[in-house]
Amino acid sequence: MYAPLQKKHDGPLLQVDRLKTYFFTRSGLVKAVDDVSFDISVGETLALVGESGCGKSITSLSILRLVPAPGRVVEGSILFNGQDLLRMPPTEIRRVRGNDIAMIFQEPMTSLNPVFKIGEQIAEVLRLHRGISNLEALERAAALLEQVGISAASNRLRDYPHQLSGGQRQRVMIAMALACDPKLLIADEPTTALDVTIQAQIMELLAELAKDHQMATLLISHDLGVVAGNADRVAVMYAGRIVETGPVQTLFKNPCHPYTRGLLGCIPKPGDKGPLQTIEGQLHPQQNTAEGCPFRPRCATACEQGLTRPPQLRELSPGHFVRCWKA
C-alpha cells in the first residue's frame, strides 16, 4: 500500500519553475510550454487561462508526466511537497498520480471506460492506491457518489457511463479524483459541454470540496466567467508562456497585457447590443519559436521593441506581473 507524501516544507505545495515542454515534430520544433513558472499553496485555487493551443493542458500533463510523444519536458523543475516530480522514478510517479495529485479531464465520456460499471471504476482507484478489499472499495465508492451529489448512490454503482447524464458523469469523475483525498486537484476544463446551470453546480461542488479537504486546485479554463467566481489567482497563457498573472480581482479590474484585455473584452456584458469583441488573427505554432513578442502579430498596440526582443515578466504591483513592453 502506498503512503501519501508527507508535508516536508513550509513553502507552496506546488512550485513549477522555468518549465519547458517541447514537441519535436516533422514540421519543426513547437515550444508548447516555454519557461513557465508558478506556485500553488495549500487550499488555494490558481486558474490557468487562454485560448486553445496556448499550452494550458500540456502544462498540466507535464506536472503528471503524461506528455504524449513526440513531446517531452526538456528543462525546469516541478516541486511537489519539496520533491521534484520530474526526477522521480516511474514507479513512484505512478503512485503519486491519482493519490496525491488527481486530475479531472475535459470529457468524462472519453475518460470513463464504457464497458465497466462506474462502481468498479471508482473502486479500482481505491484498491490500487489504498490496498483495501473490493467490498470496502465499493462501500467507499457509494459514499463518494453521495458526497458529489448523486442520489441513490448504491444503485448507481451498477450503472455504465452511457446510462448517466453529462453532469452525472462529471460528478463520477470528481468522485474518482477525490477517492484518495489528494492534496492537489488539476481540473482541466471541468465544465466543457455542460449547460450553464450544470456548470454552476459543478464549480460550486468543486469549491466546497476543496474547502472541506484543504485541497489546492489548478483550474484550467478558457471561460473567464468561471474563473472570476472560483479562482484566487489567475495566470494568463499565450504561445506557451505566462503573459500576465496576479490576484483575480486585480487582474480583472486592471488587465495590463493586450491579450488579457482582449479576452476580457470577449465576455458578453448585460445591455450590450453591438457585436461581440474579438481578438484578430489566431495563434500559430510558429509563434512559439518566433523572435520578439509572440503576440505582436495580433496586437493593436505593438511596438518596435517587440520585433526582435521578447518582453520579460515585470511586477507592476504586489503579486501582479505582466510580460509586455508597453505595460
Side-chain angles (χ1 to χ4, degrees):
M1 185 172 72
Y2 174 65
L5 294 176
Q6 301 300 312
K7 186 175 181 181
K8 297 182 178 179
H9 69 123
D10 297 323
L13 177 69
L14 179 74
Q15 293 174 283
V16 177
D17 185 42
R18 307 186 76 84
L19 178 67
K20 297 182 180 181
T21 303
Y22 296 170
F23 281 75
F24 301 85
T25 70
R26 292 182 179 179
S27 57
L29 178 68
V30 177
K31 297 181 179 180
V33 180
D34 191 20
D35 200 24
V36 164
S37 299
F38 61 85
D39 58 65
I40 310 176
S41 297
V42 173
E44 182 184 34
T45 296
L46 172 70
L48 204 55
V49 303
E51 62 193 304
S52 297
C54 71
K56 307 186 303 296
S57 294
I58 295 300
T59 298
S60 67
L61 293 176
S62 299
I63 294 170
L64 292 169
R65 283 174 52 183
L66 292 174
V67 177
R72 67 174 184 267
V73 176
V74 298
E75 195 173 313
S77 65
I78 302 173
L79 298 182
F80 180 72
N81 265 342
Q83 299 185 37
D84 195 343
L85 299 178
L86 297 179
R87 285 158 180 79
M88 280 186 177
T91 53
E92 187 73 7
I93 193 66
R94 281 196 294 269
R95 291 168 179 163
V96 170
R97 293 189 207 115
N99 193 69
D100 294 292
I101 304 175
M103 185 166 182
I104 302 172
F105 293 92
Q106 292 186 28
E107 177 47 60
M109 198 58 190
T110 58
S111 301
L112 293 170
N113 193 318
V115 301
F116 286 98
K117 298 173 183 178
I118 62 170
E120 295 172 358
Q121 297 189 55
I122 300 172
E124 182 183 18
V125 176
L126 291 160
R127 289 195 301 268
L128 177 65
H129 291 293
R130 288 291 185 259
I132 61 178
S133 69
N134 188 54
L135 179 59
E136 289 177 302
L138 288 172
E139 290 175 351
R140 174 64 178 148
L144 285 163
L145 290 182
E146 288 181 0
Q147 187 178 5
V148 298
I150 293 183
S151 57
S154 297
N155 295 329
R156 287 297 193 178
L157 291 176
R158 296 188 289 271
D159 286 349
Y160 291 92
H162 73 272
Q163 295 176 285
L164 305 178
S165 68
Q168 288 173 327
R169 286 195 293 267
Q170 194 62 285
R171 288 172 186 267
V172 170
M173 290 297 299
I174 294 171
M176 291 178 66
L178 296 177
C180 296
D181 197 19
K183 297 178 179 67
L184 172 66
L185 176 67
I186 300 174
D188 189 357
E189 302 280 8
T191 58
T192 297
L194 300 178
D195 63 50
V196 175
T197 303
I198 303 300
Q199 283 184 15
Q201 292 175 2
I202 294 297
M203 293 310 304
E204 184 179 354
L205 173 63
L206 286 174
E208 289 176 358
L209 293 171
K211 182 179 179 181
D212 292 343
H213 295 263
Q214 271 298 289
M215 182 173 59
T217 305
L218 176 60
L219 173 63
I220 297 171
S221 181
H222 65 275
D223 189 333
L224 290 175
V226 168
V227 168
N230 295 279
D232 299 303
R233 289 187 296 122
V234 184
V236 180
M237 283 192 75
Y238 185 80
R241 291 190 169 190
I242 291 177
V243 295
E244 187 166 6
T245 183
V248 64
Q249 292 184 352
T250 301
L251 191 137
F252 274 69
K253 288 181 180 179
N254 183 33
C256 293
H257 195 281
Y259 181 59
T260 309
R261 292 197 295 268
L263 290 176
L264 291 170
C266 295
I267 301 176
K269 297 176 179 61
D272 284 356
K273 297 182 179 179
L276 291 175
Q277 294 184 37
T278 60
I279 303 175
E280 295 296 325
Q282 59 183 344
L283 173 64
H284 295 283
Q286 290 78 8
Q287 286 175 255
N288 295 78
T289 56
E291 293 184 354
C293 176
F295 189 65
R296 192 179 190 283
R298 305 174 68 183
C299 184
T301 59
C303 61
E304 291 187 8
Q305 287 173 300
L307 274 172
T308 56
R309 297 173 58 197
Q312 302 300 311
L313 278 174
R314 293 185 293 124
E315 188 171 24
L316 302 184
S317 62
H320 185 191
F321 295 81
V322 66
R323 190 188 299 272
C324 178
W325 287 114
K326 298 184 72 174

